[in-house]
Amino acid sequence: MSQTITVIRGDGIGPEIMDATLHVLDAMDLGLAYEEADAGLAALEKHGELLPAATLESIRRNKIALKSPLTTPVGEGFSSINVALRRHFDLYANVRPARSYPNTLARFPGDVDVITVRENTEGAYIGEGQSITEDGETATLIQKVTRKGSERIVRYAFELARSTGRKKVTVVHKANILKTTSGLFLKVAREVAGEYPDIECNEMIVDNCCMQLVMRPEQFDIIVTTNLFGDIISDLCAGLIGGLGLIPGANIGHEVAIFEAVHGTAPDIAGQGKANPGALLLGAAQMLDHIGKPDQAERLRKAIVATLEAKDSLTADLGGSGSTMDYARAIASRL
Ligand code: NAI
């Protein structure tokens, strides 16, 4: 039976990397049907709003979306569309895997295989209490951490470890200074960890974690942390493995899941056929895992690795001279 997914082509390099990704998915003959929906600048131009109700309805109906990056116009009155989507569907778990691939421009060849599990709905990103005094001298912001939010994200990380055969979860925090917010997260994480005696658990303060990631990334398996720390740590991991074109992100809720690349719309290279579609393709692989097609997900990942190994039509960020579509065709030929 065919499964319909919502496809959001997005802004900037979005349409190019989505074309490339759908080319590869079509070559896999998965029985997927696509329902296109608009968001971001493309939606603003067509429908006069950044996140039309029809797009939300399509995602709600299909429960699965594959999304290219979106531009949030800079200026007052526009909150991030990505944050809005995560809030609307309560997509509490942001799962960002980073692993070393062959033939990238990574500074450190090697042994990175870390999944960052980032709390996606609370912390510093709730958008509440943002104020600045009239004289422009003092700014404030509210951070919110709840027991419920902490418990479900930590549990998600441990369940992910169990279901993927991973051995260790590192809880990253700053409870020594942020005693209430990070303190509550750590307290709840310790309680949840006690329910998973089969999975090793350690704790690390976020600044030390950043240094350890650069010095000895092989000690990490799954990292679970709050919203802001997770955002920064996953980009650090992207840097370790050779760039943003290699990291996907799944946004998972109880009902709906949205799969994407971690990078943005790359306006500097948009429309030039230079963008690496790899991160969105890896996001599609996460999607295939999620919809119960892990063999197909592995088939797709293997084809990506084989293409990197062969250095066939790699895009410029990987040191090659292939176009977005050349690279996608090279991957499709190795499925
Ligand atoms: P960016 O990720 O778009 O670009 C940073 C650098 O990485 C640029 O030099 C770009 O050319 C390069 N790059 C990014 N993706 C690439 C790819 N697939 N292949 C090759 N090179 C790639 O970050 P930036 O410039 O900070 O943001 C641009 C726009 O993207 C902003 O409007 C921002 O709001 C939006 N954005 C959207 C996101 C989303 O929809 N999930 C996430 C992050 C940013």
Side-chain angles (χ1 to χ4, degrees):
M1 204 183 75
S2 97
Q3 172 154 11
T4 304
I5 60 167
T6 298
V7 165
I8 299 174
R9 302 172 69 78
D11 302 314
I13 59 171
E16 300 160 58
I17 59 172
M18 186 60 83
D19 281 345
T21 299
L22 297 186
H23 174 81
V24 177
L25 290 183
D26 286 344
M28 294 177 76
D29 206 10
L30 298 162
L32 291 178
Y34 312 128
E35 185 171 287
E36 293 223 3
D38 297 313
L41 272 193
L44 189 65
E45 279 157 21
K46 257 202 217 163
H47 312 285
E49 50 185 337
L50 289 163
L51 193 51
T55 299
L56 294 174
E57 177 51 28
S58 169
I59 298 173
R60 194 199 56 74
R61 199 172 43 246
N62 297 322
K63 298 190 168 44
I64 303 289
L66 186 62
K67 179 185 118 356
S68 272
L70 306 171
T71 302
T72 298
V74 177
E76 282 176 29
F78 295 108
S79 66
S80 159
I81 313 157
N82 294 307
V83 173
L85 275 172
R86 289 166 194 164
R87 265 215 218 125
H88 186 88
F89 293 111
D90 197 21
L91 306 176
Y92 66 93
N94 189 197
V95 183
R96 297 179 162 185
R99 54 172 281 203
S100 302
Y101 293 99
N103 294 325
T104 65
L105 298 182
R107 273 172 185 263
F108 314 101
D111 264 345
V112 181
D113 186 3
V114 189
I115 302 178
T116 304
V117 176
R118 164 195 177 201
E119 201 295 319
N120 220 10
T121 58
E122 307 192 328
Y125 286 27
I126 54 168
E128 287 173 23
Q130 300 216 49
S131 69
I132 186 145
T133 52
E134 263 178 32
D135 60 8
E137 295 293 321
T138 308
T140 54
L141 150 82
I142 291 177
Q143 294 200 21
K144 184 163 84 182
V145 168
T146 66
R147 170 171 280 279
K148 179 184 163 212
S150 303
E151 190 180 330
R152 65 182 180 174
I153 194 67
V154 177
R155 198 171 290 289
Y156 186 93
F158 277 95
E159 290 294 330
L160 182 69
R162 270 193 184 159
S163 66
T164 55
R166 286 177 179 259
K167 304 278 179 263
K168 182 174 170 189
V169 172
T170 301
V171 178
V172 175
H173 65 91
K174 188 77 185 177
N176 51 330
I177 307 292
L178 307 174
K179 290 188 190 292
T180 55
T181 48
S182 217
L184 177 59
F185 178 77
L186 180 60
K187 180 172 186 291
V188 174
R190 284 176 179 166
E191 291 168 12
V192 175
E195 296 174 35
Y196 294 84
D198 49 318
I199 308 287
E200 185 188 344
C201 177
N202 66 339
E203 298 165 8
M204 205 174 276
I205 293 175
V206 63
D207 30 356
N208 180 31
C209 174
C210 291
M211 184 200 64
Q212 296 284 342
L213 271 166
V214 176
M215 300 285 288
R216 289 201 309 118
E218 65 282 358
Q219 70 182 288
F220 295 94
D221 195 349
I222 290 180
I223 289 174
V224 64
T225 190
T226 43
N227 207 333
L228 174 61
F229 296 160
D231 204 4
I232 297 168
I233 283 174
S234 56
D235 262 35
L236 194 159
C237 293
L240 280 180
I241 64 159
L244 283 169
L246 299 162
I247 296 219
N251 298 277
I252 313 262
H254 288 300
E255 296 281 323
V256 164
I258 300 181
F259 300 86
E260 61 184 349
V262 164
H263 61 72
T265 57
D268 50 334
I269 55 168
Q272 301 173 30
K274 286 185 185 165
N276 179 356
L280 189 58
L281 275 163
L282 290 166
Q286 282 184 304
M287 178 183 80
L288 294 175
D289 274 329
H290 186 82
I291 63 175
K293 298 182 189 293
D295 295 350
Q296 298 292 348
E298 210 35 42
R299 181 181 165 209
L300 175 52
R301 289 190 192 101
K302 280 191 175 144
I304 294 171
V305 172
T307 309
L308 286 163
E309 270 164 358
K311 290 193 182 181
D312 185 359
S313 310
L314 306 188
T315 46
D317 59 306
L318 297 169
S321 57
S323 71
T324 307
M325 216 34 174
D326 292 338
Y327 183 42
R329 284 193 202 99
I331 292 169
S333 73
R334 289 181 173 77
L335 285 165

